[in-house]
Amino acid sequence: MTTIPLNLGLTPVRRKPFGGRSLEEVVTELTEEIRELYTADQVPWVIGYSGGKDSTAVLQLVWMALKGLPVEQRTKAVHVISTDTLVENPVVAAWVSASLGTMQDAAQAQGLPVEPHRLTPEIKDTFWVNLLGRGYPAPRPKFRWCTERLKIKPSNAFIRSVVAAHGEAIMVLGIRKTESQARARAMEKHEKRRVRDRLSPNANLPNSLVYSPVEDWTNDDVWEFLMQKPNPWGYTNQDLLTMYQGASSDGECPLVVDSTTPSCGSSRFGCWTCTLVDEDKSMSAMIQNDEEKEWMTPLLELRNKLDAPFDEWKEGEEIPPGRKVGDPKPDKPARDFRRMNGKVMLFKDDAIHGPYLQSFREEWLKDLLDAQTWIRAHAPEHVQNIELITLEELHEIRRIWVFDKHEVEDSLPRIYQEATGEPFPGGPLDEQLVMGSDEMDVLKQVCDGDDLHYNMVRELLAVERKYRTMARRSGLFQALEQAVQKGYYEDHEDAVEFATRKQKWRDDIAENLTFDDENELDAPA
């Protein structure tokens, strides 16, 4: 029960669910409202379903309302969408996947127009393709690249397809004002522009409206409803409560349709790779509370390995073996001092670090495949077919490494075989590579540990190979020049010193430039 402190010096009292109203009264009122909105027009509905308590409660209310309608009035499609980021907490992902299958069978058996959909991000947008393939740094609050790609784009693409087909769509979401002050303010802002009393406009998706039937409910209200009203598609809400009890005390991961939606990182169930919070409390609690879930330990260890803060080890912190006060934490050594385009940019007299280095990306891919292999061999039977990274993602990562990053060693098949004991199910790239692995080893020996120059020569060879078969080689010299510019530093310090001199030279010119000089510089040749 929720405790409400009174500012009278009295003993706190407990709030009654639904403000003292009976559950039956509230449910009857809401299901009648849902039926009225559903039959008012032919605009299809899209329900966001994450498998958590709030979205389950909303879907259950809609399901109950539809069952109360005559068959001839159940004419409008109700799409239930669940976005799988492919890095969801495995326990929750399995729960949601099984729930969608049961839901589809139950809807057909009961004659309801409910259509479940499991959405996933495009291969180019997945977490592993961006982190291991392109080398994007692990997500941070100020660089939250994952939410847009993994959550928002798949959901919005589906909603836009519904709008394109029908002109409009009504989104039914399990959002509540008591989730946070920010959520309450946003919902109250949209309430002022409501149409038909309960439908709010969606600023990010034209021609779509938002209906939030449980917006005024508290956590206690949601659980009161779920525990007293049986799940109509055959799942048990008691199991849902058990799953929540095994994790931390935060809220569920909502359907994310815009950047103002709270990150899954601050919720109970989100991505197991999430680095937007200090620790994955839900997975840690699951492992600690249930021996059968100890198989997730390798996932937690890998997640913590990816979570690399940006500062140095400080006095009083728990410093890992081999580190000391003042040593940089793992992030900067793992990243190139150049940006993705090869340029050196400064901030506070140091380089703004760019993508993860090749050696770290290869190491983390090996760790990921090792974890997958171990879980398949040691985990309970129901998760032995787990797929932490798909073959499609592996093929795309291999393509990015070889052709975009010019890492022509083509190391992914070797890493895959070392981790799984099986050959990589992909064809050879021998005909498309500049040189074989043996020749690349010789080149590395010639460079004698100078990785910058090795990478530069490797990229020059790749550029030459790319333009060799072209009838018109426009852009060849620019590509060669860019490759040289990326690698003509001695090391990190030399790059920072060069960039500092260059910036000072530009500042001096700008300071001494007169009006006439500017006109001369801008004059035609």
Side-chain angles (χ1 to χ4, degrees):
M1 304 288 285
T2 304
T3 301
I4 302 179
L6 299 178
N7 298 322
L8 302 175
L10 302 176
T11 303
V13 298
R14 292 183 180 277
R15 177 195 182 277
K16 294 182 179 180
F18 305 107
R21 301 173 66 195
S22 70
L23 174 63
E24 291 301 329
E25 180 184 357
V26 172
V27 171
T28 300
E29 181 180 298
L30 272 177
T31 51
E32 183 59 37
E33 177 182 277
I34 291 170
R35 281 191 284 267
E36 182 180 338
L37 287 171
Y38 177 84
T39 56
D41 51 46
Q42 290 301 309
V43 179
W45 283 15
V46 179
I47 301 179
Y49 178 70
S50 68
K53 66 182 190 307
D54 296 339
S55 59
T56 299
V58 165
L59 179 55
Q60 196 163 313
L61 282 169
V62 173
W63 196 292
M64 294 166 64
L66 293 179
K67 285 191 70 174
L69 284 174
V71 175
E72 60 272 15
Q73 290 187 312
R74 304 174 189 171
T75 57
K76 191 163 67 174
V78 177
H79 302 282
V80 179
I81 61 172
S82 179
T83 306
D84 184 352
T85 63
L86 302 180
V87 284
E88 298 290 327
N89 181 304
V91 173
V92 181
W95 166 275
V96 174
S97 181
S99 179
L100 292 175
T102 304
M103 192 185 302
Q104 184 170 11
D105 295 338
Q108 293 176 353
Q110 298 176 32
L112 298 178
V114 176
E115 303 174 14
H117 305 270
R118 175 180 172 268
L119 310 180
T120 57
E122 295 182 54
I123 291 299
K124 65 183 179 65
D125 290 329
T126 68
F127 182 85
W128 295 122
V129 165
N130 282 284
L131 187 133
L132 297 180
R134 296 186 175 91
Y136 278 21
R140 298 290 169 190
K142 292 185 178 180
F143 187 46
R144 194 174 137 185
W145 56 264
C146 53
T147 308
E148 169 74 23
R149 290 170 171 81
L150 306 185
K151 285 277 187 183
I152 298 176
K153 288 178 68 174
S155 300
N156 286 3
F158 183 90
I159 295 167
R160 287 194 181 98
S161 69
V162 173
V163 171
H166 301 276
E168 281 185 287
I170 294 176
M171 299 167 55
V172 188
L173 304 179
I175 52 178
R176 296 182 295 109
K177 293 177 182 177
T178 57
E179 291 179 59
S180 66
Q181 292 182 354
R183 170 56 61 84
R185 286 195 298 268
M187 293 178 69
E188 288 167 0
K189 175 184 175 183
H190 291 304
E191 280 180 10
K192 298 176 182 178
R193 300 167 54 204
R194 276 185 166 172
V195 296
R196 269 188 271 157
D197 296 331
R198 295 300 301 272
L199 301 182
S200 302
N202 188 324
N204 297 284
L205 292 168
N207 294 348
S208 64
L209 299 170
V210 174
Y211 174 43
S212 46
V214 298
E215 60 184 21
D216 295 319
W217 285 18
T218 65
N219 278 336
D220 288 345
D221 297 338
V222 174
W223 286 118
E224 179 86 8
F225 170 73
L226 292 176
M227 291 300 100
Q228 295 196 36
K229 293 295 181 180
N231 188 300
W233 59 88
Y235 248 45
T236 166
N237 291 337
Q238 185 62 46
D239 289 346
L240 179 63
L241 176 61
T242 301
M243 187 165 63
Y244 267 80
Q245 289 172 335
S248 65
S249 59
D250 298 323
E252 68 171 283
C253 176
L255 172 72
V256 181
V257 293
D258 59 60
S259 58
T260 63
T261 305
S263 163
C264 296
S266 60
S267 64
R268 174 186 300 273
F269 302 126
C271 302
W272 68 266
T273 58
C274 184
T275 52
L276 291 170
V277 289
D278 293 335
E279 60 177 321
D280 189 336
K281 295 181 180 178
S282 63
M283 184 174 287
S284 299
M286 286 181 175
I287 295 171
Q288 181 179 352
N289 298 337
D290 189 348
E291 290 184 0
E292 291 187 357
K293 293 185 174 64
E294 289 183 355
W295 58 268
M296 292 194 293
T297 301
L299 305 188
L300 189 61
E301 292 174 348
L302 179 55
R303 180 262 169 208
N304 292 338
K305 198 170 185 179
L306 296 176
D307 187 15
F310 289 98
D311 53 4
E312 299 175 342
W313 298 109
K314 296 179 177 62
E315 193 73 46
E317 288 185 321
E318 183 178 349
I319 303 176
R323 300 277 184 176
K324 63 181 184 300
V325 173
D327 281 352
K329 292 185 178 179
D331 188 81
K332 285 190 175 180
R335 293 168 59 186
D336 197 332
F337 60 83
R338 298 161 296 187
R339 305 308 300 273
M340 196 78 76
N341 58 9
K343 294 183 178 180
V344 177
M345 300 181 66
L346 299 178
F347 179 73
K348 293 185 177 180
D349 300 325
D350 194 11
I352 301 175
H353 284 59
Y356 286 130
L357 297 169
Q358 179 181 355
S359 59
F360 285 87
R361 288 183 278 110
E362 292 177 347
E363 177 187 343
W364 290 333
L365 175 61
K366 176 68 161 52
D367 291 340
L368 178 63
L369 292 172
D370 282 340
Q372 177 174 280
T373 303
W374 186 91
I375 291 173
R376 288 179 175 180
H378 298 89
E381 185 177 352
H382 67 278
V383 291
Q384 287 186 351
N385 292 325
I386 193 170
E387 194 171 45
L388 300 181
I389 182 169
T390 66
L391 281 175
E392 290 81 4
E393 289 176 289
L394 289 170
H395 285 300
E396 178 63 7
I397 290 170
R398 185 189 188 190
R399 185 197 67 77
I400 292 172
W401 284 4
V402 173
F403 299 112
D404 293 353
K405 291 186 171 295
H406 309 295
E407 295 167 359
V408 294
E409 299 88 351
D410 193 21
S411 58
L412 189 144
R414 171 185 56 79
I415 294 171
Y416 183 89
Q417 183 153 11
E418 289 175 357
T420 65
E422 302 173 357
F424 181 68
L429 299 178
D430 295 345
E431 296 181 0
Q432 305 176 57
L433 297 178
V434 180
M435 296 187 293
S437 58
D438 293 339
E439 289 83 357
M440 297 309 297
D441 288 340
V442 172
L443 175 60
K444 183 166 287 190
Q445 291 175 15
V446 170
C447 292
D448 193 24
D450 191 335
D451 289 336
L452 278 175
H453 289 171
Y454 168 73
N455 292 336
M456 181 183 71
V457 174
R458 182 180 64 180
E459 186 164 348
L460 288 170
L461 290 170
V463 169
E464 189 277 335
R465 173 69 179 82
K466 175 182 177 181
Y467 283 88
R468 182 189 305 171
T469 57
M470 290 185 178
R472 185 172 180 270
R473 301 182 183 180
S474 175
L476 170 62
F477 292 113
Q478 291 89 336
L480 292 172
E481 183 179 2
Q482 288 175 0
V484 172
Q485 288 177 346
K486 288 170 62 176
Y488 62 17
Y489 309 109
E490 290 294 332
D491 50 28
H492 175 198
E493 289 72 20
D494 180 48
V496 171
E497 183 182 348
F498 177 83
T500 302
R501 291 201 310 269
K502 188 175 180 181
Q503 183 62 48
K504 186 177 183 302
W505 176 74
R506 286 177 173 172
D507 293 342
D508 291 342
I509 289 180
E511 183 178 345
N512 298 321
L513 197 62
T514 65
F515 179 76
D516 291 336
D517 292 332
E518 291 181 10
N519 289 339
E520 288 181 16
L521 289 175
D522 292 336

